[in-house]
Amino acid sequence: MNNQLLLDNLRCIPDWPIKGVNFRDVSTLFKNPASLKEISDEMYELYKDKGITKIVGIESRGFVMSSALAIRLGAGVVLCRKPGKLPCKTVQESYAKEYGIDTIEIHEDAINEDDIVLLHDDLLATGGTMKAACNLVKKFHPKKVYANFIIELVNENFEGRNSFDPDVEVTTLLQL
């Protein structure tokens, strides 16, 4: 993988959304055709032989690559959204964040026991949202669950990888 290409096209916004945070803006990776292709190719290589049937994209940056990869893998896309954004009956999962409780949901008919599911989001830091998404998907009892991120923040403040159950294989493209 061409890490330098991705690093060169990844925008870092200091002190956003709060002072002391360096926000990693993946939208600059998506707007660059070479970066987008690199991410797509790498994710395809990681999952082409896993039998993925559904890719769950986490709102909203996770929608981009989950859709691109689903086309290449011949899989379906499931949207994981904040409450009130999906039009049909949903299944929810609530989780604690550093500043309160949040909830995510997917349609109740989105996943079944025959599915092999890949969850995708742009960035892994504390892992709270993706851990909740894993718990939500596991309510459907799929055959297997994978989790993928474009970027993983690795330092003493972010140990998101450790929050996942051992049966969930977690992969990231870049570690910062």
Side-chain angles (χ1 to χ4, degrees), residues 77-94:
V77 173
V78 174
L79 302 181
C80 183
R81 303 212 58 192
K82 295 177 181 171
K85 303 287 185 179
L86 296 172
C88 295
K89 193 169 181 182
T90 62
V91 177
Q92 296 185 336
E93 181 77 18
S94 293

Side-chain angles (χ1 to χ4, degrees), residues 10-65:
L10 179 64
R11 179 170 33 205
C12 180
I13 303 168
D15 297 322
W16 196 86
I18 60 172
K19 187 167 181 59
V21 172
N22 288 319
F23 183 78
R24 308 299 179 169
D25 181 12
V26 297
S27 69
T28 53
L29 296 175
F30 299 154
K31 76 176 185 175
N32 179 284
S35 295
L36 186 62
K37 183 177 183 331
E38 186 70 19
I39 294 167
S40 177
D41 289 348
E42 185 65 21
M43 288 178 63
Y44 176 75
E45 288 301 317
L46 285 169
Y47 294 104
K48 67 183 181 185
D49 298 322
K50 303 283 188 185
I52 305 295
T53 58
K54 301 278 175 59
I55 302 178
V56 176
I58 310 301
E59 187 168 337
S60 66
R61 292 177 298 274
F63 296 166
V64 176
M65 292 313 303

Side-chain angles (χ1 to χ4, degrees), residues 6-172:
L6 299 183
L7 291 170
D8 288 347
N9 285 283
L10 179 64
R11 179 170 33 205
C12 180
I13 303 168
D15 297 322
W16 196 86
I18 60 172
K19 187 167 181 59
V21 172
N22 288 319
F23 183 78
R24 308 299 179 169
D25 181 12
V26 297
S27 69
T28 53
L29 296 175
F30 299 154
K31 76 176 185 175
N32 179 284
S35 295
L36 186 62
K37 183 177 183 331
E38 186 70 19
I39 294 167
S40 177
D41 289 348
E42 185 65 21
M43 288 178 63
Y44 176 75
E45 288 301 317
L46 285 169
Y47 294 104
K48 67 183 181 185
D49 298 322
K50 303 283 188 185
I52 305 295
T53 58
K54 301 278 175 59
I55 302 178
V56 176
I58 310 301
E59 187 168 337
S60 66
R61 292 177 298 274
F63 296 166
V64 176
M65 292 313 303
S66 62
S67 298
L69 184 59
I71 291 167
R72 292 187 71 181
L73 293 177
V77 173
V78 174
L79 302 181
C80 183
R81 303 212 58 192
K82 295 177 181 171
K85 303 287 185 179
L86 296 172
C88 295
K89 193 169 181 182
T90 62
V91 177
Q92 296 185 336
E93 181 77 18
S94 293
Y95 60 103
K97 293 176 74 170
E98 55 275 9
Y99 47 84
I101 301 291
D102 211 347
T103 301
I104 55 174
E105 60 185 19
I106 61 177
H107 282 132
E108 72 174 0
D109 61 354
I111 298 169
N112 65 57
E113 293 178 354
D114 293 326
D115 283 319
I116 298 173
V117 179
L118 170 63
L119 294 106
H120 173 73
D121 205 358
D122 64 327
L123 188 130
L124 172 59
T126 63
T129 303
M130 185 62 90
K131 174 62 174 155
C134 279
N135 291 344
L136 180 56
V137 166
K138 284 183 173 187
K139 290 178 180 179
F140 295 90
H141 307 289
K143 289 181 181 177
K144 177 75 178 155
V145 177
Y146 297 90
N148 172 266
F149 304 87
I150 298 170
I151 299 167
E152 178 179 7
L153 299 180
V154 182
N155 68 39
E156 65 278 357
N157 296 321
F158 302 120
E159 296 185 6
R161 182 178 289 266
N162 298 333
S163 68
F164 296 96
D165 296 335
D167 64 326
V168 177
E169 181 183 308
V170 178
T171 59
T172 59

